[in-house]
């Protein structure tokens, strides 16, 4: 409240109340800024504190903030109940408002008569000569300046000349000053309470003559009275979000504001109000909380509201200062709108036998917020897709449904698809009674001229192996899908690797073309596949598959794959034994279990012990020497089919269960082996040339053990080769000396007989010499000419028999020569190719022999101690056999 022309007046009241009244020109009502009253400790009811003169209480409004006191209509302040005044005093305020609406406050301070004063009161005890008390000034006072604020005087000024000084905040800045002669406090410009609500000064008084202080310094306070010069301002954000369709009373947000005026007064008491959208929102006038005013906020109708908010001080009074701002209220989305189809039905046409590709796009609309689970659609085919011909997806950009074809449709079987498609959102519906929508989709299938189709994609036929050729096993036909007729359709095989089946071009009949063998490599798990193609008149094709289930027949007998068996000789009283394993290519019940028995010619030398369904143990029944023994075995399958088979058992010396090499000697190289072969050939020629025998007299010589060894030629051997017959008498001449360097003298004619056929003159020699050659080779040199004729009956012509001197090499030389002689005769009487088949082989190939035998370029590298090469000299001696035939 502006109070112009303030002056300070001092009153001395009977009740010792010091009152400084502010004389106002408004209706002559004198209201002091404060009242200090000394009262007893206990105030009875109706005790008068003070009285405000010349104040029309009908025009002026007075209230107190202490219910123990009241103001009567004549302006008297009295107690209404018994009130205690503490030792440190008591205070309360009188609030008033003038007829123009201006408000003010008057402080009332009460102190006990004991002389104690209020601790926090505006007055302190000073020397009595200081007259001023705390006082107030109004902020933002109007010019002109400077203005008198208060007259401060000391009683000492009455007895001597003095001057006054002032110090403190505001003085050095020139805001306040003092008239040094009179003590009048001056304000030089307007004061802003929001910057400095009070000023505390130090007044001093000095004797002009002595410059000595006449009183103690006087501290006093100047309070700046607030005026409502600041409008409230917004301090917080004004953007709020609330879900659509929220219930009425749902909090939207809080509007925050502040006022720089004095707190606790109406100048800073803010009241909130909305100037727009009051039908949808309301705001609490005291707290600024905005809430919904309806249940029907619809984001799809309007998603953002700009609400005007007003804030006004003076608690909303008409004379208060105000401010406005726009608060933005955004409605959050809920899934209250399901996706809807733009059409009530959809249709599309596809071609039969077509696979893959987009066939239909189904757009939908959704009012909810885009690219959120409330808007994103999901599609489901609820009917008509039982065969999985199509699938549906969602286009993430457009939210459309996309129908793709995944399986070809046959027009002859399905002419249309009746689909039903449902659209829904990723989020469940909320705040609505709507349901997910569905739409029918009609997919028509367009007929296409297509190739023939077989009555079944795959036909199974059972055929026994070895079925006769030209046997009809079935008919595989195709029909035109449109006409259901087989007319004009031709049939062809796509593949038939074994060439077992023939297909009739016109009828599709399937016949046996070649012998079916279940054991063929073309049969897998008993099945043989023949893809077949059908071609109509328009050259359109269709394919099918005939699967031949080959039934087994008993067309194989058990067989021992290894015909050479190794057996250790008797050792420590234990007879040797060997495992005999048989195989049958047939399947059960035409194969195992097998029955094993010995042939009739086993002579009690062998015995069999059963082991399992496919094997027995062949063991010696009596002690046998080392060597090769043929053993006949009768092996039959479960049906009793079988044959007699001969296996060769080699009994050998063993060490650690393995046969030892037959000869233990220095290892020979390839050249040494070739030298031995040449020497043996020369020995054979020497034997043929110089030995003769009598026709009927023979001498039986046993072959030296170990000379006949196993070879790699698999064929029956010559059982006669182990016995060589030579003359037993008729020795007429002998050659003295060793084998090396021996000289043959007086020989005219030599013949060899026995089991070799007719008599033959083998050698006509004059002065023949057998001499030692290089590297241990034996070379026969002769001066005569070799003549070969038809052999005789085995009689020694002229009874001449050559005998070498007794030397270590004689028996070996003799036996080897006789063996080669017998083999040469045998080779001259057999078939062209059989010379290589009379030797036992030990490999798995079950075909026929090779005319070249088993000797290769490097066959002698395997075991340089093995003399099996003696059994593979057939091709080299073919010429000699031809000579002998003559």
């Amino acid at each position: 409240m502006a109070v112009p022309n303030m002056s300070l007046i001092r009153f001395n009241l009977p009740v010792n109340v010091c009152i400084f009244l502010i004389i106002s020109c408004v209706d002559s009502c004198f209201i002091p800024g404060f009242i200090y009253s000394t009262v007893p400790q206990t105030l009875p009811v109706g005790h008068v504190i003070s009285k405000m003169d010349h104040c029309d209480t009908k025009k002026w409004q007075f209230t107190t903030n202490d219910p123990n006191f009241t103001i009567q209509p004549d302006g008297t302040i009295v107690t209404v109940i018994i009130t205690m005044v503490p030792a440190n005093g008591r205070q309360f305020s009188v609030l008033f408002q003038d007829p123009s609406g201006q408000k003010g406050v008057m402080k009332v301070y009460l102190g006990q008569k004991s002389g104690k004063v209020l601790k926090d009161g505006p007055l302190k005890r000073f020397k009595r000569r200081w007259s001023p008390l705390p006082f107030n000034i109004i902020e933002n006072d109007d010019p002109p300046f400077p203005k008198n604020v208060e007259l401060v005087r000391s009683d000492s000024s009455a007895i001597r000349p003095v001057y006054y000084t002032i110090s403190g905040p505001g003085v050095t800045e020139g805001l306040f000053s003092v008239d040094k002669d009179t003590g009048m406090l001056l304000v030089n410009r307007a004061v802003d309470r929001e910057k400095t609500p009070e000023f505390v000064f130090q007044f001093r008084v000095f004797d002009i003559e002595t410059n000595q202080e006449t009183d103690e310094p006087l501290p006093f306070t100047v309070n700046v009275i607030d005026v409502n010069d600041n409008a409230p301002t917004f301090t917080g954000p004004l953007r709020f979000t609330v879900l659509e369709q929220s219930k009425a009373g749902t909090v939207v947000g809080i509007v925050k504001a502040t006022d720089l005026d004095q707190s606790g007064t109406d100048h800073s008491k803010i009241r909130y109000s909305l100037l727009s959208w009051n039908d949808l929102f309301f705001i609490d006038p005291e707290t600024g909380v905005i809430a919904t005013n309806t249940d029907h906020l619809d984001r799809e109708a309007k998603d953002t509201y700009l609400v005007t908010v007003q804030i006004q001080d003076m608690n909303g009074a008409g004379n208060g200062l105000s401010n406005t701002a726009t608060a933005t209220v955004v409605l959050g989305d809920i899934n209250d709108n399901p996706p809807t189809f733009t059409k009530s039905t959809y249709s599309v046409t596809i071609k039969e036998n077509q696979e893959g590709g987009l066939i239909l796009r189904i757009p939908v609309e959704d009012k909810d917020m885009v690219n959120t689970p409330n808007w994103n659609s999901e599609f489901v085919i609820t009917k008509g897709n039982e065969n999985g011909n199509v699938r549906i997806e969602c286009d993430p950009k457009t939210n459309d449904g996309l129908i793709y074809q995944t399986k070809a449709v046959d027009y002859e079987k399905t002419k249309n698809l009746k689909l039903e498609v449902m659209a829904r959102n990723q989020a469940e519906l909320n705040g609505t009674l709507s349901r997910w929508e569905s739409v029918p989709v009609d997919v028509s299938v367009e007929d296409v001229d297509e190739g023939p189709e077989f009555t079944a994609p795959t036909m199974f036929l059972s055929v026994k192996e070895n079925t006769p050729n030209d046997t009809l096993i079935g008919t595989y036909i195709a029909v035109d899908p449109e006409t259901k007729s087989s007319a004009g359709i031709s049939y062809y095989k796509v593949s038939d690797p074994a060439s077992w089946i023939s297909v009739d071009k016109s009828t599709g009949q399937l016949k046996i073309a070649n012998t079916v063998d279940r054991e063929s490599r073309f049969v897998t798990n008993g099945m043989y596949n023949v893809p077949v193609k059908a071609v109509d008149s328009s050259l359109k094709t269709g394919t099918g598959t005939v699967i031949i289930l080959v039934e087994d027949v008993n067309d194989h007998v058990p067989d021992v794959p290894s015909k050479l068996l190794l057996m250790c000789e008797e050792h420590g009283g234990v007879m040797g034994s060997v495992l005999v394993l048989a195989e049958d290519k047939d399947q059960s019940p035409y194969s195992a279990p097998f029955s094993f028995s010995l042939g009739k010619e086993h002579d009690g030398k062998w015995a069999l012990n059963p082991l399992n369904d496919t094997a027995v143990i062949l063991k010696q029944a009596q002690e046998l020497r080392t060597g090769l023994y043929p053993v006949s075995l009768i092996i039959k399958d479960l049906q009793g089919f079988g044959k007699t088979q001969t296996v060769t058992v080699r009994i050998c010396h063993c060490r650690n269960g393995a046969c030892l090499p037959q000869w233990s000697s220095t290892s020979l190289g390839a050249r040494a082996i070739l030298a031995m072969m040449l020497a043996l050939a020369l020995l054979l020629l020497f034997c043929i040339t110089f030995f003769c025998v009598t026709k009927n007299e023979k001498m039986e010589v046993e072959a030296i053990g170990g000379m006949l060894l196993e070879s790699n030629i698999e064929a029956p051997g010559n059982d006669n080769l182990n016995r060589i017959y030579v003359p037993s008498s008729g020795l007429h001449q002998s050659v003295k000396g060793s084998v090396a360097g021996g000289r043959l003298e007086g020989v005219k004619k030599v013949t060899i007989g026995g089991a070799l056929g007719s008599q033959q003159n083998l050698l006509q020699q004059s002065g023949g010499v057998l001499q030692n050659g290089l590297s241990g080779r034996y070379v026969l040199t002769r001066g005569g000419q070799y003549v070969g004729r038809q052999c005789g009956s085995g009689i020694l012509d002229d009874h001449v028999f050559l005998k070498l001197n007794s030397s270590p090499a004689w028996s070996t030389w003799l036996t080897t020569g006789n063996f080669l002689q017998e083999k040469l005769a045998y080779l001259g009487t057999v078939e062209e190719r059989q010379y290589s088949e009379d030797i036992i082989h030990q490999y798995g190939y079950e075909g026929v022999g090779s005319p070249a035998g088993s000797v290769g370029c490097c066959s002698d590298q395997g075991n340089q101690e093995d003399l099996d090469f003696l059994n593979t000299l057939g091709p080299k001696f073919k010429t000699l056999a031809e000579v002998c035939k003559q």
Side-chain angles (χ1 to χ4, degrees):
M1 181 179 64
V3 184
N5 299 322
M6 290 188 302
S7 60
L8 184 62
I9 302 175
R10 185 174 184 178
F11 297 88
N12 291 320
L13 299 180
V15 293
N16 296 325
V17 178
C18 295
I19 302 176
F20 295 88
L21 298 179
I22 298 177
I23 303 174
S24 176
C25 299
V26 182
D27 295 331
S28 302
C29 180
F30 298 95
I31 301 176
F34 63 91
I35 297 176
Y36 180 82
S37 175
T38 301
V39 296
Q41 182 177 5
T42 303
L43 300 178
V45 176
H47 183 83
V48 176
I49 301 301
S50 179
K51 182 179 180 180
M52 293 175 289
D53 298 330
H54 307 290
C55 291
D56 187 354
T57 56
K58 294 181 180 180
K59 296 179 180 182
W60 290 69
Q61 298 179 7
F62 296 93
T63 58
T64 65
N65 64 353
D66 191 338
N68 292 350
F69 303 93
T70 187
I71 299 177
Q72 295 178 346
D74 61 353
T76 303
I77 303 173
V78 298
T79 58
V80 294
I81 60 176
I82 298 174
T83 303
M84 301 298 294
V85 178
N88 60 348
R90 184 185 180 111
Q91 66 181 15
F92 63 91
S93 299
V94 175
L95 308 179
F96 59 88
Q97 181 174 339
D98 64 13
S100 65
Q102 293 292 332
K103 297 180 179 180
V105 179
M106 180 180 68
K107 299 290 186 179
V108 178
Y109 301 93
L110 303 178
Q112 291 187 12
K113 290 183 177 181
S114 61
K116 293 181 180 180
V117 299
L118 205 62
K119 282 186 179 180
D120 297 328
L123 300 179
K124 294 183 179 180
R125 183 175 299 275
F126 299 106
K127 290 185 178 182
R128 291 184 181 179
R129 287 177 296 181
W130 282 111
S131 60
L133 294 173
F135 55 91
N136 301 321
I137 62 173
I138 299 175
E139 69 168 329
N140 298 328
D141 200 0
D142 297 327
F145 290 100
K147 289 187 176 182
N148 297 330
V149 177
E150 189 82 32
L151 181 62
V152 181
R153 292 182 63 85
S154 172
D155 292 345
S156 61
S157 62
I159 59 176
R160 64 173 66 94
V162 296
Y163 66 91
Y164 299 91
T165 63
I166 186 175
S167 62
V171 176
T172 56
E173 294 83 357
L175 182 58
F176 294 95
S177 61
V178 66
D179 187 321
K180 58 182 294 189
D181 296 326
T182 63
M184 176 62 71
L185 179 64
L186 304 174
V187 59
N188 299 316
R189 58 180 180 268
V191 179
D192 186 0
R193 192 206 66 85
E194 284 68 43
K195 293 183 178 180
T196 309
E198 67 176 10
F199 297 89
V200 178
F201 301 106
Q202 286 276 354
F203 260 91
R204 290 188 174 189
V205 57
F206 295 88
D207 188 306
I208 293 178
E209 295 179 354
T210 63
N211 289 326
Q212 297 292 324
E213 287 190 68
T214 60
D215 296 291
E216 293 180 359
L218 172 67
F220 67 96
T221 301
V222 175
N223 295 314
V224 182
I225 298 176
D226 183 44
V227 297
N228 194 19
D229 58 344
N230 290 279
T233 57
F234 295 93
T235 59
L238 294 176
R239 185 177 181 86
F240 312 104
T241 300
V242 64
L243 289 178
E244 62 176 327
Q245 298 193 25
S246 296
K247 294 184 177 299
T250 301
V251 174
V252 176
I254 302 176
V255 177
K256 296 181 179 179
T258 187
D259 196 315
L260 297 178
D261 291 320
Q262 187 173 353
S263 61
T265 65
D266 288 344
H267 294 172
S268 60
K269 189 171 185 179
I270 301 172
R271 193 169 187 87
Y272 302 86
S273 62
L274 297 181
L275 303 183
S276 63
W277 300 109
N278 291 281
D279 55 334
L280 302 180
F281 307 97
F282 75 89
I283 189 169
D284 187 288
E286 294 183 357
T287 63
V289 175
I290 300 178
T292 58
N293 204 24
T294 179
D295 298 339
H296 305 292
L297 291 174
D298 187 2
R299 192 202 68 85
E300 288 68 41
K302 187 176 179 62
D303 61 353
T304 304
Y305 293 89
L306 301 179
V307 181
T308 302
V309 181
Q310 177 179 273
I311 51 177
Q312 187 173 14
D313 59 15
M314 300 299 295
N315 200 20
N319 60 342
L321 301 178
S322 64
N323 215 333
T324 60
T326 300
T328 302
V329 180
V330 179
L331 298 187
D333 185 40
I334 64 173
N335 193 20
D336 56 345
N337 293 279
T340 58
F341 296 97
T342 58
K343 294 182 180 180
S344 59
T345 182
Y346 294 88
S347 61
V348 66
T349 300
I350 63 173
K351 292 183 178 181
E352 69 169 325
N353 302 324
Q354 174 182 303
E355 291 187 11
L358 176 67
I359 62 175
L360 182 63
R361 178 182 289 268
I362 303 178
V364 293
E365 295 179 348
D366 197 317
K367 296 179 181 180
D368 292 316
M369 185 173 293
V370 176
N371 296 327
T372 66
N374 299 334
W375 180 83
N376 296 335
S377 295
E378 294 177 346
F379 296 89
V380 181
I381 300 176
T382 57
K383 292 181 182 178
N385 195 33
E386 288 77 14
N387 294 329
N389 298 107
V390 296
R391 62 182 172 86
I392 190 168
E393 296 179 356
C394 177
D395 188 332
K397 294 183 179 179
T398 64
N399 214 30
D400 295 342
L402 306 177
I403 297 182
Y404 295 88
Q405 185 176 355
T406 58
K407 186 185 298 184
V409 181
D410 187 355
Y411 174 81
E412 286 69 34
K413 296 180 180 178
T414 306
K415 292 182 173 53
N416 58 50
L417 300 174
K418 299 291 185 180
L419 306 178
E420 186 174 89
V421 176
M422 182 183 71
R424 55 168 297 153
N425 295 127
Q426 292 177 352
E428 295 295 332
L429 289 174
N430 183 21
T432 180
L433 299 178
S434 301
R435 295 292 180 264
W436 306 121
E437 292 186 4
S438 297
V439 66
V441 178
D442 187 8
V443 181
S444 300
V445 182
E446 180 181 340
D447 187 21
V448 176
D449 185 15
E450 51 193 337
E453 294 182 352
F454 282 95
T455 52
T458 304
M459 173 181 281
F460 292 87
L461 297 175
S462 296
V463 178
K464 289 186 177 181
E465 60 178 336
N466 302 322
T467 298
N469 291 353
D470 207 36
T471 300
L472 179 64
I473 60 175
T475 302
Y476 195 33
I477 63 173
V479 297
D480 189 297
E482 284 76 26
T483 63
K484 304 299 181 184
S485 172
S486 298
I489 298 178
S490 301
Y491 304 92
Y492 305 91
K493 292 188 300 182
V494 177
S495 68
D496 182 10
S499 300
W500 287 346
I501 306 299
S502 65
V503 179
D504 189 280
K505 177 181 177 181
S506 303
T507 63
Q509 289 183 341
L510 306 173
K511 294 182 180 181
I512 298 298
N514 286 295
T515 302
V516 178
D517 184 7
R518 190 181 187 279
E519 289 70 40
S520 171
R521 62 187 178 89
F522 299 108
V523 177
T524 303
N525 297 326
M527 295 183 293
Y528 178 73
N529 297 341
V530 181
V532 180
K533 176 173 65 175
V535 182
D536 62 13
S537 58
S538 63
L539 299 182
K540 290 186 172 59
T541 63
T543 58
T545 303
V546 176
I547 298 179
I548 306 298
L549 303 176
V550 184
E551 298 181 7
D552 192 24
V553 297
N554 198 4
D555 57 343
H556 294 85
V557 296
D559 181 66
V560 178
S562 176
K563 293 297 193 296
L564 177 63
L565 306 176
L566 300 179
M567 180 185 296
C568 294
E569 64 179 344
E570 182 270 340
H571 179 72
V574 178
M575 298 292 183
S577 62
V578 67
L579 174 67
V580 181
L581 179 65
E583 297 177 351
D584 194 329
K585 295 181 179 180
D586 292 323
Q587 301 292 318
S588 180
Y590 304 119
S591 58
F594 304 141
S595 62
F596 297 83
S597 62
L598 293 169
K600 296 181 181 180
E601 300 177 356
H602 65 88
D603 299 332
K605 297 178 181 179
W606 307 98
L608 296 177
N609 286 344
L611 180 63
N612 53 38
D613 290 346
T614 60
V616 294
I617 301 297
L618 175 64
K619 58 185 298 184
Q620 303 178 41
Q622 56 184 259
E623 182 178 356
L624 300 175
R625 298 177 59 187
T626 59
L628 300 175
Y629 297 88
V631 179
S632 296
L633 296 175
I634 302 174
I635 309 175
K636 297 181 180 181
D637 61 18
L638 184 60
Q639 305 299 326
F641 290 93
K643 67 177 181 180
T644 301
Q645 303 179 55
T646 299
V647 298
T648 299
V649 179
R650 176 186 169 190
I651 301 178
C652 58
H653 298 289
C654 293
R655 179 182 297 166
N656 298 327
C659 286
L660 295 175
Q662 291 183 349
W663 293 337
S664 178
S665 64
T666 304
S667 176
L668 299 179
R671 294 182 179 180
I673 297 298
L674 293 176
M676 292 176 64
M677 291 173 59
L678 179 59
L680 290 174
L682 294 175
L683 285 174
L684 174 62
L685 295 176
F686 183 81
C687 178
I688 295 174
T689 305
F690 293 101
F691 284 88
C692 62
V693 295
T694 305
K695 290 183 178 180
N696 297 324
E697 294 180 355
K698 301 180 177 70
M699 178 178 65
E700 183 174 321
V701 180
E702 291 288 340
I704 297 176
M707 292 300 296
L708 301 181
L709 304 179
E710 59 178 293
S711 66
N712 290 330
I713 302 176
E714 181 180 356
N718 187 345
D719 294 337
N720 295 323
L721 293 181
N722 61 343
R723 303 183 69 85
I724 308 297
Y725 297 92
V726 298
S728 61
S729 64
L731 180 61
H732 295 286
Q733 283 182 310
S734 64
V735 180
K736 296 182 181 181
S738 64
V739 174
R743 180 178 179 85
L744 301 177
E745 299 177 351
V747 177
K748 294 182 179 181
K749 186 184 297 184
V750 179
T751 61
I752 296 179
L756 301 180
S758 61
Q759 184 181 20
Q760 181 183 10
N761 292 326
L762 298 179
L763 180 63
Q764 180 68 39
Q765 180 172 337
S766 174
V769 178
L770 181 67
Q771 63 183 13
N772 191 4
L774 296 176
S775 303
R777 297 186 177 92
Y778 293 98
V779 182
L780 180 64
T781 62
R782 57 190 180 276
Q785 182 179 3
Y786 173 79
V787 179
R789 291 187 176 91
Q790 178 68 30
C791 293
S793 60
I795 300 174
L796 282 109
D797 296 345
D798 297 335
H799 304 282
V800 177
F801 181 75
L802 298 179
K803 179 179 180 183
L804 301 176
N805 65 338
S806 56
S807 66
W810 158 246
S811 60
T812 300
W813 176 77
L814 178 62
T815 302
T816 302
N818 287 325
F819 170 75
L820 295 175
Q821 176 190 358
E822 180 110 353
K823 181 173 179 65
L824 177 63
Y826 173 75
L827 295 176
T829 60
V830 296
E831 293 293 332
E832 172 74 18
R833 61 184 179 84
Q834 201 168 352
Y835 60 83
S836 63
E837 294 183 349
D838 62 339
I839 307 301
I840 296 177
H841 291 269
Q842 191 177 357
Y843 53 85
Y845 180 65
E846 297 181 7
V848 298
S850 170
S854 299
V855 178
C857 65
C858 305
S859 61
D860 60 337
Q861 300 298 319
N863 186 357
Q864 297 183 2
E865 295 183 354
D866 197 349
L867 297 181
D868 286 346
F869 66 89
L870 295 177
N871 295 323
T872 59
L873 300 178
K876 299 178 176 63
F877 290 89
K878 184 63 177 175
T879 304
L880 294 177
E882 294 295 335
V883 173
C884 188
K885 279 184 180 181
Q886 299 176 3

Short mmCIF file of all heavy atoms in Angstrom, two decimals, residues 248-261:
data_model
loop_
_atom_site.label_atom_id
_atom_site.label_comp_id
_atom_site.label_asym_id
_atom_site.label_seq_id
_atom_site.Cartn_x
_atom_site.Cartn_y
_atom_site.Cartn_z
N ALA A 248 -12.56 -41.01 -16.47
CA ALA A 248 -12.58 -39.63 -15.96
C ALA A 248 -11.84 -39.56 -14.63
O ALA A 248 -12.02 -40.42 -13.76
CB ALA A 248 -14.01 -39.14 -15.82
N GLY A 249 -11.03 -38.51 -14.48
CA GLY A 249 -10.25 -38.35 -13.26
C GLY A 249 -8.84 -38.89 -13.38
O GLY A 249 -8.06 -38.78 -12.43
N THR A 250 -8.49 -39.47 -14.54
CA THR A 250 -7.12 -39.95 -14.74
C THR A 250 -6.17 -38.76 -14.85
O THR A 250 -6.41 -37.82 -15.60
CB THR A 250 -7.03 -40.80 -16.01
OG1 THR A 250 -7.92 -41.91 -15.90
CG2 THR A 250 -5.62 -41.32 -16.22
N VAL A 251 -5.10 -38.78 -14.06
CA VAL A 251 -4.15 -37.67 -14.05
C VAL A 251 -3.43 -37.60 -15.38
O VAL A 251 -2.90 -38.61 -15.88
CB VAL A 251 -3.15 -37.82 -12.90
CG1 VAL A 251 -2.07 -36.75 -12.98
CG2 VAL A 251 -3.88 -37.74 -11.56
N VAL A 252 -3.38 -36.41 -15.96
CA VAL A 252 -2.69 -36.16 -17.20
C VAL A 252 -1.29 -35.64 -16.92
O VAL A 252 -0.30 -36.07 -17.54
CB VAL A 252 -3.47 -35.18 -18.08
CG1 VAL A 252 -2.68 -34.83 -19.33
CG2 VAL A 252 -4.83 -35.75 -18.43
N GLY A 253 -1.17 -34.67 -15.96
CA GLY A 253 0.13 -34.10 -15.63
C GLY A 253 -0.05 -32.97 -14.62
O GLY A 253 -1.18 -32.64 -14.19
N ILE A 254 1.06 -32.36 -14.21
CA ILE A 254 1.05 -31.29 -13.22
C ILE A 254 1.68 -30.04 -13.84
O ILE A 254 2.78 -30.09 -14.39
CB ILE A 254 1.81 -31.67 -11.95
CG1 ILE A 254 1.21 -32.93 -11.32
CG2 ILE A 254 1.81 -30.54 -10.95
CD1 ILE A 254 1.96 -33.44 -10.11
N VAL A 255 0.95 -28.92 -13.73
CA VAL A 255 1.48 -27.64 -14.18
C VAL A 255 2.19 -26.99 -12.99
O VAL A 255 1.60 -26.83 -11.91
CB VAL A 255 0.36 -26.74 -14.71
CG1 VAL A 255 0.92 -25.37 -15.10
CG2 VAL A 255 -0.34 -27.39 -15.90
N LYS A 256 3.44 -26.61 -13.19
CA LYS A 256 4.22 -26.00 -12.12
C LYS A 256 4.47 -24.53 -12.44
O LYS A 256 4.76 -24.17 -13.57
CB LYS A 256 5.54 -26.73 -11.94
CG LYS A 256 5.38 -28.18 -11.51
CD LYS A 256 6.73 -28.85 -11.31
CE LYS A 256 6.56 -30.29 -10.85
NZ LYS A 256 7.86 -30.98 -10.66
N ALA A 257 4.33 -23.71 -11.37
CA ALA A 257 4.54 -22.25 -11.53
C ALA A 257 5.11 -21.69 -10.25
O ALA A 257 5.06 -22.33 -9.19
CB ALA A 257 3.23 -21.57 -11.89
N THR A 258 5.61 -20.45 -10.34
CA THR A 258 6.18 -19.78 -9.16
C THR A 258 5.93 -18.28 -9.28
O THR A 258 5.63 -17.77 -10.36
CB THR A 258 7.68 -20.07 -9.04
OG1 THR A 258 8.16 -19.53 -7.81
CG2 THR A 258 8.45 -19.44 -10.18
N ASP A 259 6.05 -17.56 -8.10
CA ASP A 259 5.86 -16.10 -8.07
C ASP A 259 6.97 -15.52 -7.21
O ASP A 259 7.22 -15.99 -6.09
CB ASP A 259 4.50 -15.76 -7.50
CG ASP A 259 4.10 -14.32 -7.79
OD1 ASP A 259 4.95 -13.43 -7.63
OD2 ASP A 259 2.96 -14.11 -8.22
N LEU A 260 7.64 -14.46 -7.71
CA LEU A 260 8.77 -13.86 -6.99
C LEU A 260 8.34 -12.98 -5.83
O LEU A 260 9.19 -12.58 -5.03
CB LEU A 260 9.63 -13.05 -7.96
CG LEU A 260 10.30 -13.84 -9.09
CD1 LEU A 260 11.08 -12.90 -9.98
CD2 LEU A 260 11.20 -14.93 -8.52
N ASP A 261 7.06 -12.66 -5.74
CA ASP A 261 6.62 -11.83 -4.64
C ASP A 261 6.74 -12.58 -3.33
O ASP A 261 7.03 -13.77 -3.29
CB ASP A 261 5.20 -11.35 -4.89
CG ASP A 261 5.13 -10.36 -6.04
OD1 ASP A 261 6.04 -9.51 -6.14
OD2 ASP A 261 4.21 -10.47 -6.88
#
